[in-house]
Amino acid sequence: MSESGDNARPGRGIPPVAVSQTSTLVNHTGSWKYIRPLYQDRVAPCNAGCPVGIDIEAYMNLLREGRVEEARDLLMRENPMPAVTGRVCHRPCEDQCNRRHFDEPVSIHGVERMLGDLELGAPLPDAPPRTRSEAVAVVGSGPAGLACAYHLARMGYDVTVYEEADEPGGMLRLGIPEYRLPRDVLDRQIDRIRAQGVLIFCGVRVGTDLCWSDLECDAVFIASGAHRSRGAGMKGEDTAGILSGLDFLKGVNAGARPDLGKRVVVVGGGNTAIDCARAARRLGAVSIVLYRRSRVEMPAIPQEIEEAKREGIEFVFLAAPVAARTVDGRLRGIECTRMRLGPPDDSGRRRPEPTDERPFSVVADTVLTAIGEISDLDYLRDDIAREAGGIVVNELGATNSPAVFAGGDAANAPRTVADALGAGKRAAIGIDLYLRRVAGELTRDDVATLRYGAVGNVSMTRWRDDDPVRRTSPVNEVVKLEDMNLSPFSHAWQHRDVHVAGEEPPSHFREVNRGLTYDAAIDEARRCLNCGVCNECELCLIFCPDFAISRRDEGGFDIDMNYCKGCGVCAAECPRGAMTMVREGL
């Protein structure tokens, strides 16, 4: 029905409305708000998940901007061996990558390897000046010892490394086959650590060849690793043909090519077991991995397991050896029992339990046991506390004995290269803190502020307060996927590592995974979502309805609070979760 009368006349029935005759430059509409936006750089989950403690997001963003040298420098501030970790790391950072929920995680290991190889191709760096009068001794030249020495040398200390083996590298050299880590790569990486002024003496066992009292140092870091294989616990384990998997790898890595027979059974599910199986396959044997749990519980790097399957390695899961099977005194195989998975044990994995099924046999000419390693700590001083076969340390590697620190496998850290590198870095900070306190210097020791997030590893740039990256109101909080707006991103699948085409299975120990090309690595850096950190995409500026956001000439943005109404559109549209809304006045 149409209206009639006064109510139908224009303007009738409409209440008066105030109309301003001036521009909004005079009317400060922002005074109405009760919340306001704030730029805050948070921590990317890859950073928090990296055992080394690398600012992955930052170097990815530098690569995106074409600042390759700066990206490489930032990486080297935290990780002395990127060409190594890019090849052998178990990649927990990629497991934490937010992009994995969108399409696929960024190939962080591939980008790191590219930067590491660029570093190896550059001229050797000049040694940093010795700005400290103190000297530090490092026992062991594996990844933990080398990392500690590297960081201490860069902080100005005089550092000497003592290694029992004839060449430095620890398990990097002794335990990882060349097809995964070429010796040339390892040697050049160690040369760059030496170039920092680190002295390395090989063929010296501290506690035997060199007494502890003869170490002329103000602090010592123990990183002697874990080089003694655990027994498999089966009857007849001393039968000829049953060998330690670690000893087998040490021999192969030293150039030995033993005759293993036609069939080799490897007992275990870790990286050592997979390396043994792949090495035995290259020596012409049929390789079978026997593991007491399921595939899901295997601690070996998943990509290495897939490589092993591609090379023809067989797997028998939920089976455990109980006895050697011999004929006329010669090994012919092993007797095994079927297992089932019970409740989780202390490792968090489901406990393997024997079933009532009949035992079965697996034919083998050689059995390699690879169910873990333990540390030989007989050389230690009696006053250094230990438990569960490892040295007791605090979060910065300090033992109960003044001036003595430890880390890596010798301190029961997780048995990975990345974790060992991270332990060495933490100990370097602990030693620096200790020596500065002895010298009467005021130092901070709040480890929580050094970590990426609540549980990530520590940052050396935070400790040294020399971060080259500009930060915007940084908070030590890991950004979650739900904090981000993924709508501006388009799907782009991960670049895969390039593998050498050739015979299957391979009969050589040359490197088979060539990583990413330079261009592919740069593309991967562009795939990075830069979680939690503003990379100046300008979406906040574009979507602001009040034109309250403007770009600074030197980079970054300003928010004019005279006109910002606190609507929150900028924070909602931010793809990276780098903006938050806070109450006005806080």
Side-chain angles (χ1 to χ4, degrees):
M1 181 189 304
S2 63
E3 295 184 336
S4 61
D6 289 344
N7 286 338
R9 296 172 60 185
R12 298 302 177 94
I14 301 175
V17 177
V19 178
S20 173
Q21 299 297 318
T22 63
S23 77
T24 56
L25 293 176
V26 175
N27 185 5
H28 289 178
T29 57
S31 61
W32 307 340
K33 65 183 178 295
Y34 75 96
I35 56 174
R36 61 185 176 88
L38 177 68
Y39 290 98
Q40 281 189 326
D41 284 353
R42 290 190 270 183
V43 176
C46 56
N47 292 14
C50 173
V52 184
I54 302 171
D55 194 349
I56 297 168
E57 180 282 326
Y59 79 66
M60 290 287 183
N61 190 49
L62 289 171
L63 288 174
R64 183 185 63 83
E65 295 177 347
R67 299 156 66 183
V68 179
E69 295 302 316
E70 293 172 75
R72 194 176 77 190
D73 170 72
L74 183 62
L75 174 58
M76 295 298 298
R77 288 170 184 250
E78 305 288 353
N79 180 10
M81 310 187 87
V84 171
T85 52
R87 287 169 165 83
V88 303
C89 183
H90 61 298
R91 314 176 192 180
C93 54
E94 295 181 17
D95 293 336
Q96 299 299 315
C97 177
N98 275 332
R99 180 138 197 162
R100 77 189 191 280
H101 301 293
F102 186 65
D103 42 38
E104 292 182 304
V106 176
S107 180
I108 298 171
H109 75 281
V111 180
E112 185 168 300
R113 172 174 170 166
M114 180 274 290
L115 288 174
D117 287 348
L118 284 180
E119 176 69 17
L120 294 186
L124 287 174
D126 294 330
R130 288 291 165 260
T131 57
R132 305 291 305 182
S133 62
E134 301 95 336
V136 180
V138 175
V139 180
S141 68
L146 290 175
C148 184
Y150 171 86
H151 290 296
L152 285 170
R154 286 167 64 92
M155 286 191 282
Y157 290 96
D158 181 44
V159 186
T160 303
V161 179
Y162 298 96
E163 168 58 50
E164 180 181 358
D166 294 333
E167 295 180 277
M171 291 300 288
L172 295 174
R173 185 179 302 278
L174 300 175
I176 301 180
E178 278 210 77
Y179 62 80
R180 287 183 60 205
L181 179 58
R183 293 299 167 262
D184 175 61
V185 170
L186 177 60
D187 289 340
R188 286 189 291 158
Q189 197 81 90
I190 294 174
D191 285 344
R192 304 193 77 80
I193 294 174
R194 280 192 169 110
Q196 302 294 328
V198 175
L199 295 177
I200 303 177
F201 292 101
C202 294
V204 179
R205 179 178 172 86
V206 175
T208 302
D209 302 321
L210 182 66
C211 296
W212 288 97
S213 58
D214 292 334
L215 291 176
E216 298 179 358
C217 61
D218 300 281
V220 61
F221 176 60
I222 301 170
S224 49
H227 294 264
R228 184 185 297 173
S229 294
R230 298 180 187 272
M234 60 179 172
K235 296 179 181 179
E237 197 166 343
D238 57 351
T239 300
I242 299 180
L243 311 172
S244 155
L246 182 56
D247 289 344
F248 163 72
L249 286 177
K250 288 180 178 180
V252 169
N253 291 335
R257 297 294 182 263
D259 181 3
L260 302 175
K262 294 181 179 180
R263 289 173 60 88
V264 172
V265 171
V266 181
V267 180
N271 291 321
T272 299
I274 300 300
D275 285 341
C276 284
R278 296 180 69 187
R281 189 75 169 129
R282 281 163 169 75
L283 296 177
V286 172
S287 291
I288 303 161
V289 174
L290 188 78
Y291 182 51
R292 60 181 180 161
R293 290 184 169 98
S294 73
R295 165 69 179 83
V296 174
E297 286 80 22
M298 286 191 84
I301 299 172
Q303 293 80 8
E304 295 301 318
I305 298 173
E306 292 304 313
E307 284 293 302
K309 291 170 65 176
R310 186 176 64 83
E311 293 175 358
I313 309 299
E314 301 175 28
F315 289 84
V316 178
F317 295 109
L318 293 171
V322 293
R325 187 168 63 84
T326 61
V327 176
D328 297 330
R330 297 185 60 184
L331 181 70
R332 287 293 181 261
I334 51 176
E335 297 293 327
C336 304
T337 185
R338 293 289 182 186
M339 309 294 284
R340 61 169 172 259
L341 296 179
D345 59 16
D346 293 340
S347 71
R349 295 174 296 165
R350 296 178 64 187
R351 184 190 308 277
E353 301 172 345
T355 68
D356 295 330
E357 296 182 38
R358 292 181 60 185
F360 67 99
S361 298
V362 179
V363 177
D365 299 299
T366 300
V367 174
L368 302 175
T369 60
I371 61 171
E373 296 79 40
I374 58 177
S375 297
D376 177 6
L377 302 178
D378 294 342
Y379 71 97
L380 281 185
R381 290 171 10 196
D382 293 337
D383 64 320
I384 300 175
R386 64 205 81 176
E387 65 180 7
I391 303 170
V392 179
V393 298
N394 70 5
E395 57 188 343
L396 291 181
T399 71
N400 65 304
S401 182
V404 179
F405 294 74
D409 294 354
N412 282 338
R415 301 289 170 84
T416 75
V417 173
D419 283 288
L421 289 168
K425 181 167 69 171
R426 289 194 301 276
I429 291 174
I431 291 170
D432 185 40
L433 173 64
Y434 166 78
L435 292 177
R436 289 180 183 275
R437 280 179 172 170
V438 171
E441 301 173 23
L442 182 64
T443 58
R444 58 192 179 94
D445 61 351
D446 184 3
V447 178
T449 64
L450 303 179
R451 292 188 179 279
Y452 288 113
V455 297
N457 199 12
V458 297
S459 164
M460 183 58 72
T461 59
R462 290 183 183 180
W463 173 250
R464 299 184 62 176
D465 196 23
D466 64 353
D467 190 346
V469 178
R470 186 187 73 241
R471 307 292 177 180
T472 303
S473 301
V475 291
N476 200 19
E477 172 188 292
V478 178
V479 67
K480 301 181 180 65
L481 185 69
E482 53 265 31
D483 299 325
M484 302 170 64
N485 170 28
L486 299 183
S487 59
F489 298 105
S490 58
H491 291 282
W493 303 108
Q494 182 191 86
H495 290 76
R496 299 290 191 252
D497 290 346
V498 177
H499 288 80
V500 177
E503 56 188 320
E504 298 290 348
S507 60
H508 59 79
F509 283 80
R510 298 188 297 274
E511 187 172 25
V512 294
N513 184 350
R514 297 296 175 85
L516 299 179
T517 65
Y518 177 86
D519 290 340
I522 297 299
D523 281 346
E524 280 298 301
R526 295 191 183 106
R527 289 184 68 241
C528 176
L529 302 179
N530 301 114
C531 303
V533 179
C534 175
N535 71 351
E536 303 185 8
C537 69
E538 296 191 342
L539 285 184
C540 56
L541 183 155
I542 293 169
F543 280 96
C544 177
D546 295 297
F547 303 100
I549 299 177
S550 60
R551 176 181 280 281
R552 299 194 200 105
D553 291 338
E554 68 275 15
F557 301 92
D558 286 317
I559 303 176
D560 191 335
M561 293 303 168
N562 287 322
Y563 302 103
C564 170
K565 295 187 180 68
C567 67
V569 170
C570 54
E573 291 295 336
C574 178
R576 295 165 177 87
M579 297 188 76
T580 187
M581 300 300 295
V582 298
R583 288 188 65 85
E584 185 67 284
L586 296 181

